[in-house]
């Protein structure tokens, strides 16, 4: 923060940051003991929490880490390649512009 920044500007930037993070979700393990990391007990159920702008609120429960990750980070939809149309067969030729060879020119 700059020393000469008006309070209104600081408040506006803070409100923008909070609004941008609103709706963010996380998975918290529901196992026994302190939370040590998401990977520690992958079989434990997870509480899916969402940031409301002021606090985390529980919006659901996942049965394990794999299900929680699938909910939080869904894979993007697979885009199918368009079907290629049947291209006509290329005629005889040997180059980029299919310039006729001298033998072909004599035959014509």
């Amino acid at each position: 923060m700059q020393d000469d920044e008006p309070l209104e500007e600081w408040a506006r930037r803070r409100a923008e940051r909070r609004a941008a993070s609103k709706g963010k979700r996380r998975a918290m393990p529901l196992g026994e003991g302190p939370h040590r990391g998401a990977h520690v007990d992958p079989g434990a159920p997870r509480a899916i929490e969402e940031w409301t702008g002021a606090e985390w609120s529980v919006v659901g429960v996942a049965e394990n880490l794999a299900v929680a990750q699938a909910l939080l980070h869904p894979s993007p939809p697979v885009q199918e390649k368009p079907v290629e149309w049947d291209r006509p067969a290329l005629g005889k030729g040997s180059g980029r512009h299919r310039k006729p060879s001298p033998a072909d020119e004599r035959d014509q």
Side-chain angles (χ1 to χ4, degrees):
M1 182 173 137
Q2 298 175 349
D3 291 334
D4 57 347
E5 180 181 24
L7 182 59
E8 293 81 23
E9 284 294 314
W10 174 84
R12 182 190 56 77
R13 285 188 305 108
R14 180 175 183 257
E16 287 174 358
R17 280 195 316 270
R18 293 185 89 176
S21 66
K22 191 173 183 178
K24 184 176 180 178
R25 291 186 172 189
R26 70 179 183 183
M28 297 297 291
L30 296 175
E32 305 247 346
H35 172 62
R36 294 175 299 223
H39 66 284
V40 174
D41 190 7
R46 302 293 201 262
I48 306 297
E49 298 177 334
E50 185 175 77
W51 181 248
T52 63
E55 65 182 1
W56 290 97
S57 64
V58 177
V59 294
V61 177
E63 61 187 59
N64 58 32
L65 177 60
V67 173
Q69 287 178 336
L71 288 172
L72 296 176
H73 310 289
S75 58
V78 177
Q79 294 183 358
E80 295 182 21
K81 292 183 179 180
V83 178
E84 289 192 29
W85 54 280
D86 292 330
R87 296 181 182 167
L90 299 176
K92 291 185 178 180
S94 61
R96 181 170 155 194
H97 300 287
R98 295 198 197 119
K99 182 178 178 182
S101 67
D104 291 337
E105 287 179 352
R106 280 187 304 210
D107 292 340
Q108 292 178 356

